[in-house]
């Protein structure tokens, strides 16, 4: 009943509901790595150690990627007292957590409010407090809580997430709470009120341009629900998994950064090409995503396959993405009047990492097929 009341109050407040989650846990969108997109059920303890090693040695950690997240398929059986144990792929969870912590990284884990997870492993239904305490005892820092087979009403879903939120709180350990459910109710309207630091807004991403753009460009309209401590999550990154070309991956990371989306890499960090690493660690682009103002960007022009998106930044500058969704290169223009600027502005190209000079009233550029030109503008 209480959850329902909070949800109603959130809706009355225009959906902007931040009272329930711990804002200090994710003041900017979480950055890290998750096992699912590349390894799926093949993940094991050795994989996690190797990814943690690579996160540090590659320079990804220095660029801000701090979470190593184990997704579904780690779960084993419960003992006679109901405590969950990892399966044979993860023999020593506490040892693994300690190892990841020793690298200066955080460890995330996965469960479900249902009896079974999406991949059919043991969920937390009826064991919420016990599981939260187990995670806390292991030293876990992040929980992705995923309800695939939900047949519940939005109120029942909210109650289930609230139950785990309360269980996590009771442990006293700060644990980022990542909600994952899609298709039942508009989670962005109530994700914050049930303690979510982030919540999935879409089905699963696939490593191809159609899937990525359907999800990314489909986020328009959710921007008022995101902010420091509570983020829309359009799913994890596919950068480096091989299904898209360089321009398409640039579109992927540009769009996710404009969206202030969590940046959870989904590739094999031990096998990165120089292009993938350079891209994932581009400080100019990551700074857009991590801007402390925490505004989610939105489209200002949508004409056929041409989209211009903007994101206001804390220092008063504006980030603009010129996205060309067509199969041909084309010249695109961002009029300053469309992005709330007038007069003269300096322009920096964030992928070229180059100042382009000053421009009057508009900025134009050739944009490759399926590509993007990403710039930061500041009036002078
Ligand atoms: C769902 C989620 C994925 C992944 C799998 C694991 O499909 O959306 O991100 O966690 O479950 O089974």
């Amino acid at each position: 009943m209480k959850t329902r009341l909070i949800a109603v109050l959130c809706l009355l407040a225009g959906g902007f509901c931040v009272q329930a989650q711990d804002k200090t846990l994710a003041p900017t969108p979480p950055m890290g790595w998750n096992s699912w997109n590349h390894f799926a059920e093949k993940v094991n303890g050795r994989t996690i150690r190797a990814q943690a090693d690579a996160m540090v040695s590659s320079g990804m950690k220095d660029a801000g990627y701090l979470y190593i997240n184990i997704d579904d398929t780690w779960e084993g059986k419960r003992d006679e007292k109901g405590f969950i144990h990892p399966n044979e792929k993860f023999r020593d969870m506490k040892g693994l957590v300690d190892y990841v912590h020793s690298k200066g990284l955080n460890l995330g884990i996965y469960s479900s409010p249902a009896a079974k997870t999406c991949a059919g492993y043991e969920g937390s239904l009826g064991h919420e407090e016990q599981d939260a305490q187990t995670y806390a005892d292991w030293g876990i820092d992040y929980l992705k809580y995923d309800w695939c087979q939900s047949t519940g009403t939005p109120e029942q879903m909210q109650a289930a997430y609230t139950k785990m939120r309360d269980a996590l709180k009771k442990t006293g350990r700060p644990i980022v709470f990542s909600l994952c459910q899609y298709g039942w109710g508009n989670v962005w309207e109530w994700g914050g009120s049930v303690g979510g630091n982030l919540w999935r807004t879409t089905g699963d991403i696939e490593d191809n341009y159609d899937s990525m753009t359907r999800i990314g460009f489909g986020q328009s309209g959710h921007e008022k629900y995101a902010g420091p401590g509570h983020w829309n999550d359009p799913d994890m990154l596919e950068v480096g998994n091989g299904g898209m070309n360089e321009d398409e991956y640039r579109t992927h990371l540009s769009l996710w950064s404009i969206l202030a989306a969590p940046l959870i890499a989904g590739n094999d960090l031990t096998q990165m090409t120089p292009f993938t690493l350079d891209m994932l660690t581009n400080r100019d682009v990551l700074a857009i995503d991590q801007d402390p103002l925490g505004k989610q960007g939105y489209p200002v022009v949508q004409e056929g396959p041409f989209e211009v998106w903007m994101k206001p930044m804390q220092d008063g500058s504006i980030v603009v993405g010129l996205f060309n969704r067509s199969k041909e290169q084309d010249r695109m223009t961002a009029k300053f009047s469309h992005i709330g600027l007038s007069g003269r502005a300096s322009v920096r190209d964030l992928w070229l990492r180059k100042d382009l000079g000053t421009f009057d009233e508009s900025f134009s550029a050739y944009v490759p097929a399926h590509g993007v030109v990403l710039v930061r503008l500041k009036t002078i």
Side-chain angles (χ1 to χ4, degrees):
M1 189 59 206
K2 201 171 155 208
T3 317
R4 195 172 187 159
L5 181 65
I6 291 171
V8 170
L9 290 175
C10 284
L11 287 174
L12 290 177
F16 192 72
C17 197
V18 296
Q19 73 272 43
Q21 80 290 107
D22 185 342
K23 273 184 152 192
T24 57
L25 279 180
T28 59
M31 287 175 67
W33 174 90
N34 172 293
S35 58
W36 189 254
N37 284 358
H38 190 87
F39 294 93
E41 74 284 352
K42 294 198 181 75
V43 65
N44 60 35
R46 274 191 316 280
T47 322
I48 296 301
R49 282 173 189 249
Q51 298 301 314
D53 291 346
M55 187 74 105
V56 176
S57 62
S58 65
M60 293 268 292
K61 179 188 164 204
D62 287 343
Y65 295 85
L66 295 180
Y67 289 92
I68 295 281
N69 293 346
I70 306 169
D71 207 278
D72 203 353
T73 79
W74 66 268
E75 310 87 341
K77 294 205 168 31
R78 293 189 182 278
D79 61 25
E80 64 283 358
K81 292 198 177 120
F83 287 101
I84 185 86
H85 293 272
N87 58 35
E88 62 289 348
K89 297 192 295 170
F90 291 87
R91 292 200 177 278
D92 176 14
M93 196 58 95
K94 178 83 179 85
L96 185 59
V97 177
D98 290 346
Y99 183 77
V100 170
H101 284 171
S102 76
K103 298 258 153 189
L105 297 166
N106 305 305
L107 196 86
I109 209 159
Y110 171 103
S111 190
S112 172
K116 294 285 172 204
T117 67
C118 294
Y121 287 71
E122 188 69 21
S124 290
L125 182 67
H127 296 274
E128 292 81 0
E129 287 202 2
Q130 222 173 5
D131 285 358
Q133 193 54 53
T134 300
Y135 305 151
D137 292 345
W138 284 338
I140 295 289
D141 307 291
Y142 184 117
L143 173 66
K144 175 172 167 183
Y145 205 44
D146 187 5
W147 201 352
C148 262
Q149 304 93 346
S150 166
T151 49
T153 62
E155 285 77 16
Q156 286 166 329
M157 302 210 64
Q158 290 160 30
Y161 283 105
T162 303
K163 195 175 230 177
M164 184 50 96
R165 186 269 316 270
D166 291 344
L168 292 173
K169 262 195 181 154
K170 200 170 160 194
T171 68
R173 182 172 178 84
I175 297 178
V176 173
F177 194 27
S178 160
L179 313 190
C180 187
Q181 70 84 36
Y182 178 63
W184 289 91
N186 296 342
V187 60
W188 43 91
E189 288 174 355
W190 51 261
S193 72
V194 299
N197 295 113
L198 59 155
W199 47 82
R200 276 279 290 281
T201 53
T202 75
D204 288 10
I205 194 169
E206 289 166 22
D207 187 18
N208 62 68
Y209 182 75
D210 281 350
S211 166
M212 181 274 289
T213 49
R214 199 171 41 248
I215 287 177
F217 291 113
Q219 296 304 301
S220 168
H222 297 157
E223 52 273 10
K224 72 177 174 192
Y225 304 106
H230 54 106
W231 309 99
N232 290 308
D233 174 9
D235 207 359
M236 303 170 292
L237 298 173
E238 292 284 9
V239 174
N241 278 333
M244 291 183 245
N245 68 31
E246 295 189 356
D247 286 318
E248 294 171 337
Y249 279 139
R250 259 184 225 110
T251 294
H252 187 6
L253 198 55
S254 302
L255 198 44
W256 262 238
S257 295
I258 286 178
L259 291 169
L263 296 182
I264 308 294
N267 57 317
D268 181 354
L269 303 181
T270 68
Q271 305 281 335
M272 283 187 283
T273 62
F275 168 78
T276 298
L277 177 59
D278 189 51
M279 180 167 190
L280 286 172
T281 55
N282 180 318
R283 303 296 203 275
D284 285 50
V285 176
L286 298 180
I288 304 171
D289 184 76
Q290 294 292 301
D291 187 58
L293 190 60
K295 286 269 182 223
Q296 177 172 328
Y298 46 87
V300 288
V301 177
Q302 289 177 300
E303 284 173 9
F306 306 111
E307 305 216 10
V308 180
W309 285 59
M310 66 170 274
K311 182 184 198 292
M313 302 285 283
Q314 190 173 49
D315 68 355
S317 63
I318 305 282
V319 169
V320 173
L322 301 171
F323 293 96
N324 175 5
R325 300 177 69 177
S326 81
K327 291 184 176 154
E328 307 287 338
Q329 168 180 276
D330 221 313
R331 193 163 173 82
M332 291 182 64
T333 297
K335 287 191 184 150
F336 289 2
S337 58
H338 286 152
I339 54 173
L341 296 183
S342 61
R344 231 173 146 61
S346 65
V347 177
R348 179 170 174 80
D349 186 310
L350 305 181
W351 285 116
L352 295 177
R353 298 173 167 110
K354 192 174 161 195
D355 294 324
L356 301 180
T358 57
F359 290 76
D360 275 318
E361 302 300 339
S362 70
F363 169 76
S364 301
Y366 282 101
V367 186
H370 284 188
V372 60
V373 169
L374 189 67
V375 287
R376 186 162 174 168
L377 292 88
K378 193 152 196 199
T379 43
I380 48 174

